[in-house]
Amino acid sequence: MNIDEIQALKGIHPGIFLERELQKRKLAKGRFAISIGEYPQTLGAITKGKRAMNTPLALKIEHELGIEEGFFMILQTYFDIKQIKQKDSLKLHPDLKKFRKAIFWDTRFESIDWIKQKKAIITRVFERGNEQEKKEIIRFYGKQAVDEVLTGSPIN
């Protein structure tokens, strides 16, 4: 695998790649697991993304499939990084006490991803929010980001 191929796979669970690879090679998961001395349930949990890949198992799989050593652990590391970033982004939010929950009536207030949904949030607050809510959005995202969303173009 080269850097571009790993770039394309960044963030996916290594089990998803393994599942596709086994299907491509027409290998049954259970038989494959037994052939490398693993329990089929273990491999099944990994291919469903319910269990992390570990180094000894990754090495067995890579050896058996002729995949470059370390590939699955690189995927696992990038997957772990993505999970941590997603968890951390949920912690990044404005002062929630300054908002009326009614402004976000159609979603669970606690589950709003303030980073990914930035455009929708800014638009909604500036369409329906009061002055305190607008000020908090400007403080949290910054005036330039708010202006870019509201005008639809980057401010130079």
Side-chain angles (χ1 to χ4, degrees):
M1 286 273 146
N2 65 35
I3 298 294
D4 291 334
E5 289 171 313
I6 290 176
Q7 253 337 86
L9 297 171
K10 258 186 177 180
I12 72 158
H13 192 282
I16 292 170
F17 180 86
L18 176 59
E19 175 84 23
R20 281 190 275 166
E21 194 62 29
L22 292 174
Q23 286 174 351
K24 195 165 68 175
R25 296 175 188 222
K26 295 181 174 42
L27 295 171
K29 248 185 289 189
R31 269 200 194 131
F32 180 74
I34 292 167
S35 77
I36 61 171
E38 286 295 329
Y39 293 106
Q41 300 90 323
T42 301
L43 212 59
I46 289 171
T47 58
K48 289 178 182 150
K50 295 182 178 189
R51 184 173 176 168
M53 181 72 70
N54 62 58
T55 306
L57 178 57
L59 288 170
K60 284 184 196 178
I61 293 169
E62 291 158 351
H63 176 74
E64 190 67 24
L65 297 178
I67 294 173
E68 187 176 341
E69 191 174 274
F71 174 73
F72 282 108
M73 291 314 299
I74 290 170
L75 288 184
Q76 184 65 55
T77 300
Y78 280 122
F79 178 78
D80 294 344
I81 290 168
K82 179 184 171 191
Q83 298 296 105
I84 290 167
K85 283 182 168 183
Q86 283 178 336
K87 235 187 252 179
D88 288 349
S89 76
L90 291 176
K91 295 176 190 168
L92 297 173
H93 56 75
D95 183 353
L96 302 180
K97 291 178 281 206
K98 294 187 177 184
F99 292 92
R100 297 167 292 143
K101 287 190 179 186
I103 200 164
F104 299 103
W105 74 91
D106 56 348
T107 189
R108 282 189 32 233
F109 199 66
E110 310 76 38
S111 66
I112 294 172
D113 186 328
W114 296 89
I115 305 304
K116 280 187 182 172
Q117 298 167 330
K118 174 170 94 173
K119 286 182 181 181
I121 291 167
I122 291 171
T123 302
R124 180 172 294 194
V125 169
F126 275 80
E127 286 174 354
R128 299 184 173 100
N130 61 34
E131 284 309 305
Q132 174 180 296
E133 292 161 336
K134 291 175 185 177
K135 283 180 185 175
E136 182 56 17
I137 287 296
I138 291 169
R139 185 205 62 77
F140 179 68
Y141 291 116
K143 182 158 178 34
Q144 182 176 354
V146 170
D147 288 345
E148 285 177 12
V149 169
L150 296 177
T151 62
S153 62
I155 309 292
N156 291 330

